[in-house]
Amino acid sequence: MTNPLYSALFGRHADAETPFLILPDGAVWTHRAFVARAAQFAHALRQSGVAVGDRVAVQVAKSADALALYAGCVQAGAVFLPLNTAYTGDELGYFIGNSGARVFICDPKDVAALHPMAARAGAALLSLSAEATGTLAALADAQPTQFDTAARSEDDLAALLYTSGTTGRSKGAMLSQRNLLSNARTLTELWRFTSEDVLLHALPIFHTHGLFVATNITLLAGGAMILLPKFDLDAMIAHLPRATAMMGVPTFYTRLLEDTRFDADLAAHMRLFISGSAPLLASTHEAFAARTGHRILERYGMTETNMNTSNPYDGPRVAGTVGPPLPDVELKVTDPATGAALPDGEIGQIEVRGPNVFMGYWQMPEKTAEELREDGFFITGDLGFVDTQGYVQIVGRNKDLIISGGYNIYPKEIELLLDAQPGVLESAVIGVPDADFGERVLAVVVADGPLDVEALKAACTDRLARFKHPREIVVVDALPRNTMGKVQKNVLRDQYGSA
Ligand code: MLC
Ligand code: AMP
């Protein structure tokens, strides 16, 4: 059976006794063992009613089994739908319902709380823990280690990743096998990944960065990953000497630089440090080079497009830029008002086209049409320009978005929640500079009666993932507005940005 993604990433390693996953306790999974476990998950999914094309929603802790579940989905021809482990039941309800997921796999400790939601959405509930316990793990344990791979083509849907929207409603970005495979191939070559590489993996595996960029590239190259459950400074420092490459969000790099144990000796075995998902300050790039002798390779991507641009492996890696477009990606900068292409050097909205660009938003044709042009160019919502060297520089965003520690936060979602609380007339949520997370969330609220700020915080706790919670809530008499009546968030950012 043909299944290009499965064959390229997993199937061809079916007999390889080389290491794939190195776990913090020293345990090693070979590629062969990983492929065998994936087959067990593929059987377990089928037995749970998952047919080809069904969505499998997954909110589980990072583990070797969690990655094997991803592989099992690909082998069974199911659509993998990973979810942030910080999401609350409210948030999950929307994703499971909107996607029409056939099964929802959660942590065993959450089964009781999430069962009613899954039942309402019509999804069978299974569980999997980081320690390989839970109903799905038990079912998988009893299965054969070979599975008749489902036939899929490069045009078929492989994954659904939800990204929040400016209207407050999340949209499921549909990623085809071609989207994932083409990007993995391009990046593996560009960044020179081989079977000799050992990637230090501390990113979450429910987003493009940790799942597709890091994992798919390592698999394609036949290399290994040191799989840490999360970013932890001591663990990073302990494992760096065994690694050859690392991928991280800028917070990883600023945190490493804050630790005096992190020096050139510790990084001596490394060949490549890559940063993305949020802007890396030029000062961080320079400080890192001064400390270690390594120039961080910054690249630029999105959930909808995978990676679009990258600084070169061999040529100059320029601080404050995200490099030229990838070889198979077309990039243009356009006038946001007219869509007309602008000359190099002029700031406008960044648009991209290529095999990396997604198929559209799940069951939202009108949203798709707003952002994905008929000619295949995707309007990223990022503002930037192409400099004289052909490198892209991102200068801002044309979308109301906060990026905190690499996580996207859409102010509208928080504003809708705050506005619905007793005593709130209206609110404006902004991102303000933060030394650790790059940006942090601040809410500016106008009261229309007695206002209990603690109750506002509690409402956020019940409904929103922790990383979205406003770190500060400021109560004001009125929000600044322009002559059109639009809230001037730039004025608020100026006012509260240095507080
Ligand atoms: C954790 N917290 C955050 C947060 N992460 N708050 C805001 N923003 C974040 N990113 C909360 C915690 O719940 C905790 O709450 C408090 O902040 C401090 O936690 P911490 O221990 O300091 O956080 P930590 O667990 O160390 O996590 C920080 C982090 C993590 C930066 C390591 O957020 C992370 O791994 N981010 C990577 C995100 C990522 O992979 N993005 C890629 C998206 S794909 P409390 O209750 O203790 O106060 C994409 C496309 C592309 O964008 O181009 O790659
Ligand atoms: P997400 O929707 O989570 O995939 O986030 C994608 C967004 O992250 C992009 O639209 C950019 O705004 C931002 N981003 C990703 N990489 C970079 C980078 N290297 N520099 C600046 N912004 C980035």
Side-chain angles (χ1 to χ4, degrees):
M1 284 291 179
T2 62
N3 182 325
L5 189 64
Y6 178 79
S7 305
L9 301 187
F10 312 110
R12 63 192 247 241
H13 303 305
D15 297 321
E17 291 294 354
T18 48
F20 171 43
L21 298 176
I22 302 163
L23 303 179
D25 64 4
V28 174
W29 283 45
T30 62
H31 281 94
R32 191 186 63 75
F34 181 77
V35 173
R37 185 61 172 163
Q40 291 186 309
F41 279 121
H43 279 291
L45 291 172
R46 267 296 180 278
Q47 284 194 12
S48 306
V50 174
V52 170
D54 280 347
R55 275 75 59 212
V56 173
V58 178
Q59 189 197 38
V60 300
K62 185 176 175 183
S63 70
D65 255 5
L67 281 180
L69 176 57
Y70 158 54
C73 276
V74 176
Q75 189 170 26
V79 177
F80 190 61
L81 195 178
L83 293 160
N84 193 321
T85 47
Y87 287 149
T88 63
D90 263 17
E91 291 166 311
L92 293 170
Y94 172 79
F95 300 123
I96 313 294
N98 183 264
S99 66
R102 171 77 57 182
V103 298
F104 171 43
I105 300 153
C106 70
D107 195 281
K109 70 174 170 20
D110 299 327
V111 167
L114 295 177
H115 190 269
M117 177 276 290
R120 267 198 308 279
L125 189 60
L126 293 166
S127 61
L128 176 68
S129 75
E131 295 74 35
T133 62
T135 53
L136 179 68
L139 187 57
D141 290 345
Q143 304 302 320
T145 54
Q146 301 230 319
F147 180 87
D148 196 2
T149 304
R152 297 257 87 187
S153 84
E154 290 210 357
D155 294 319
D156 284 322
L157 187 56
L160 195 56
L161 262 63
Y162 277 84
T163 78
S164 295
T166 41
T167 57
R169 275 190 76 200
S170 283
K171 303 166 288 187
M174 298 191 288
L175 294 156
S176 68
Q177 288 214 346
R178 175 176 295 103
N179 296 150
L180 303 182
L181 205 43
S182 63
N183 214 236
R185 286 191 170 126
T186 302
L187 298 175
T188 303
E189 195 178 324
L190 195 74
W191 296 339
R192 311 270 170 87
F193 271 79
T194 72
S195 57
E196 301 294 303
D197 272 306
V198 179
L199 180 83
L200 184 54
H201 193 308
L203 288 159
I205 53 168
F206 43 72
H207 277 313
T208 296
H209 198 163
L211 184 63
F212 300 139
V213 187
T215 307
N216 286 359
I217 289 174
T218 306
L219 281 161
L220 198 63
M225 306 198 294
I226 300 172
L227 198 72
L228 301 182
K230 58 173 288 212
F231 180 90
D232 172 84
L233 255 181
D234 290 339
M236 297 299 281
I237 286 173
H239 290 285
L240 262 171
R242 279 187 79 182
T244 62
M246 186 191 116
M247 295 182 193
V249 295
T251 302
F252 284 23
Y253 293 102
T254 50
R255 287 187 182 181
L256 281 170
L257 282 169
E258 270 164 25
D259 195 307
T260 50
R261 292 174 296 172
F262 180 67
D263 58 15
D265 282 348
L266 204 71
H269 188 242
M270 294 288 289
R271 70 168 183 90
L272 186 59
F273 288 94
I274 300 175
S275 177
S277 308
L280 182 77
L281 292 178
S283 55
T284 307
H285 178 113
E286 295 302 348
F288 199 89
R291 177 87 66 91
T292 65
H294 284 279
R295 294 219 162 262
I296 299 171
L297 185 154
E298 186 173 6
R299 92 311 180 269
Y300 157 61
M302 286 185 79
T303 302
E304 287 92 333
T305 64
N306 299 285
M307 299 304 103
N308 296 313
T309 75
S310 169
N311 270 277
Y313 189 82
D314 284 327
R317 299 178 193 164
V318 182
T321 82
V322 293
L326 297 177
D328 52 357
V329 175
E330 289 172 82
L331 182 146
K332 63 181 180 181
V333 174
T334 62
D335 180 333
T338 64
L342 295 172
D344 283 359
E346 279 191 35
I347 294 174
Q349 63 186 3
I350 297 172
E351 301 192 24
V352 292
R353 177 165 74 179
N356 55 318
V357 174
F358 75 142
M359 303 163 80
Y361 294 113
W362 176 257
Q363 294 179 340
M364 288 187 184
E366 62 307 325
K367 290 274 168 216
T368 304
E370 278 170 25
E371 294 174 40
L372 191 56
R373 295 188 193 278
E374 271 179 15
D375 65 4
F377 271 99
F378 176 68
I379 305 166
T380 62
D382 291 309
L383 296 174
F385 66 95
V386 180
D387 68 18
T388 49
Q389 281 180 290
Y391 283 36
V392 177
Q393 295 194 26
I394 298 172
V395 299
R397 295 174 207 133
N398 206 13
K399 50 192 173 188
D400 194 12
L401 163 69
I402 300 167
I403 304 185
S404 171
Y407 286 145
N408 282 11
I409 300 165
Y410 278 85
K412 193 76 192 169
E413 185 183 8
I414 305 166
E415 289 161 0
L416 287 173
L417 175 63
L418 293 175
D419 292 353
Q421 303 311 310
V424 176
L425 179 63
E426 60 175 348
S427 62
V429 169
I430 56 170
V432 294
D434 183 90
D436 187 30
F437 287 136
E439 288 182 277
R440 70 171 180 279
V441 179
L442 183 142
V444 185
V445 174
V446 180
D448 71 350
L451 185 62
D452 180 351
V453 171
E454 289 311 310
L456 293 186
K457 290 183 184 162
C460 292
T461 304
D462 290 345
R463 305 272 298 278
L464 298 175
R466 171 75 183 126
F467 68 87
K468 299 179 190 170
H469 294 187
R471 298 295 149 139
E472 291 151 76
I473 298 179
V474 183
V475 183
V476 298
D477 293 334
L479 296 175
R481 290 183 188 278
N482 65 14
T483 48
M484 309 290 288
K486 198 171 176 310
V487 175
Q488 293 170 300
K489 290 201 168 177
N490 54 331
V491 173
L492 292 174
R493 279 191 285 267
D494 288 346
Q495 194 169 350
Y496 298 104
S498 53

